[in-house]
């Protein structure tokens, strides 16, 4: 086929195939999909104390599988697995502060480009002192306990929760549930807290100056929660908290002004960011490689 350029998000084996076929590539993704230029590759389980020799051993086994194929194609072997992801061919669709493996020197951070166009607009209705937006799914660990804490909260709560069982909704009647995503641009500017399980919503909330509580469902989301906490603009649920523990964490995020201030500082730091500009930079990178 001989493409002029192959754009990758996350497909390491296909990326290896492009290297074997000498196809030009551009890697586009968040920090999770594109590992840093280190050896060995960092562990996906930072909560575990995995010995360094074990990581080196795992990388050596992978290289022993990969390099013979490169040799048969007349290509130089990889000295380390991260060489499969050449940093000169990378665009990171995140901010340096939210990169799980960052900040990386000389990295091309263009900011998030994901968006859900045309989502329904929803407005706040009540006159309560505080407003909380949540985006959850029933499979999120601790979801029901978190809903119980939100039910007891003296705040207006809007929760986008696709697939939530009807009996859960009935038990938490003070929460306004929606079975679909919503237009965050209409809700977040007046919100006091955003709760999510997805990594993408973190940046959206922080750009609006809103603190975040992350309830991770998979490892990628857990890794996204670590830099969130380093910004000081949010917290992460690390275990199945009881409703009482969830209530205490919500109270902390809503009453400690340091979280709001950190979120506002993040928003101010990136006040000039726009998705349109990030997409323009992304296309420019493609155009440069096409000559």
């Amino acid at each position: 086929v001989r493409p002029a350029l192959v754009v990758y998000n996350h497909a390491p084996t296909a990326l290896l195939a492009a290297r074997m076929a000498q196809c030009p590539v551009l890697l586009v993704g968040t920090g999770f999909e594109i590992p840093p230029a280190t050896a060995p590759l960092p562990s996906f389980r930072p909560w575990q104390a995995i010995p360094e020799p074990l990581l080196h051993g795992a990388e050596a086994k992978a290289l022993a599988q990969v390099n013979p194929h490169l040799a048969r194609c007349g290509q130089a072997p990889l000295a380390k697995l991260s060489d499969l992801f050449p940093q000169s061919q990378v665009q990171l669709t995140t901010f340096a502060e939210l990169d799980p493996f960052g900040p990386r020197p000389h990295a091309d951070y263009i900011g998030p480009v994901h968006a859900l166009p045309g989502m329904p607009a929803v407005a706040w209705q009540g006159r309560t002192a505080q407003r909380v937006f949540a985006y959850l799914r029933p499979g999120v660990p601790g979801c029901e306990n978190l809903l119980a804490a939100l039910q007891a909260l003296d705040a207006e709560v809007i929760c986008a929760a696709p697939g939530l069982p009807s009996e859960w909704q009935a038990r938490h009647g003070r929460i306004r549930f929606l079975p679909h995503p919503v237009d965050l641009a209409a809700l977040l500017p007046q919100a006091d807290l955003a709760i999510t399980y997805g990594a993408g919503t973190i940046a959206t909330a922080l750009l609006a100056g809103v603190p975040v509580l992350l309830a991770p469902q998979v490892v990628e989301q857990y890794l996204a929660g670590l830099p969130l906490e380093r910004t000081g603009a949010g917290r992460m649920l690390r275990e199945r908290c009881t409703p009482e523990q969830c209530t205490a964490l919500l109270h902390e995020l809503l009453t400690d002004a340091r979280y709001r201030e950190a979120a506002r500082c993040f928003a101010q730091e990136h006040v000039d960011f726009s998705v349109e500009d990030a997409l323009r930079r992304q296309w420019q990178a493609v155009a440069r490689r096409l000559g």
Side-chain angles (χ1 to χ4, degrees):
V1 177
R2 286 293 167 195
L5 180 68
V6 183
V7 181
Y8 287 89
N9 172 242
H10 185 55
T13 305
L15 188 59
L16 176 63
R19 190 181 188 94
M20 295 165 66
Q22 295 184 286
C23 292
V25 301
L26 174 65
L27 291 85
V28 179
T30 67
F32 174 77
E33 295 103 336
I34 302 170
T38 59
L41 291 183
S43 168
F44 274 1
R45 304 174 184 175
W47 61 89
Q48 294 181 352
I50 298 178
E52 192 78 4
L54 193 60
L55 294 175
H56 280 283
E59 175 144 336
K61 289 180 181 178
L63 288 172
Q65 294 293 323
V66 166
N67 282 334
H69 295 284
L70 288 170
R72 280 195 288 272
C73 294
Q75 302 298 317
L78 298 175
K80 56 185 186 296
L81 277 178
S82 63
D83 290 342
L84 188 59
F85 308 87
Q87 299 303 301
S88 62
Q89 300 170 6
V90 167
Q91 271 194 332
L92 291 168
T93 55
T94 186
F95 298 109
E97 304 96 314
L98 299 179
D99 181 359
F101 303 116
R104 313 181 199 199
H106 314 301
D108 185 12
Y109 289 102
I110 66 171
V113 297
H114 51 268
L116 296 174
M119 290 297 105
V122 178
W124 299 102
Q125 295 177 344
R127 299 180 180 275
T128 55
Q130 294 175 319
R131 293 167 170 172
V132 177
F133 171 74
Y135 184 32
L136 297 168
R137 290 183 183 270
V140 172
C143 178
E144 196 166 13
N145 287 344
L146 189 53
L147 290 176
L150 290 169
Q151 168 75 9
L153 201 63
D154 183 21
E156 180 179 1
V157 181
I158 296 176
C159 181
L164 198 69
S166 56
E167 58 270 22
W168 286 24
Q169 299 184 41
R171 283 200 296 272
H172 307 101
R174 293 188 65 249
I175 300 174
R176 181 152 47 120
F177 289 104
L178 300 168
H180 51 73
V182 299
D183 181 6
L184 295 181
L187 278 178
L188 288 178
Q190 290 80 41
D192 297 288
L193 178 64
I195 302 172
T196 183
Y197 70 93
T201 315
I202 295 174
T204 305
L206 295 185
L207 287 171
V210 180
V212 178
L213 173 61
L214 181 70
Q217 187 176 15
V218 296
V219 171
E220 177 182 357
Q221 294 155 2
Y222 180 94
L223 291 174
L226 297 177
L228 165 67
E229 292 191 326
R230 289 197 293 269
T231 68
R235 292 285 304 277
M236 177 168 56
L237 286 176
R238 281 182 164 77
E239 56 189 19
R240 291 182 178 272
C241 294
T242 65
E244 293 74 21
Q245 290 170 324
C246 289
T247 298
L249 187 53
L250 290 173
H251 178 77
E252 177 185 334
L253 286 163
L254 286 167
T255 59
D256 191 332
R258 289 176 294 181
Y259 293 106
R260 169 67 79 169
E261 181 60 27
R264 287 175 174 166
C265 287
F266 183 97
Q268 185 59 39
E269 181 70 22
H270 299 285
V271 67
D272 294 327
F273 170 78
S274 71
V275 173
E276 291 77 11
D277 184 60
L279 289 169
R280 179 184 57 80
R281 292 176 60 187
Q282 196 169 68
W283 169 246
Q284 288 174 341
V286 171
R288 283 195 300 269
R289 285 161 175 78
L290 293 177

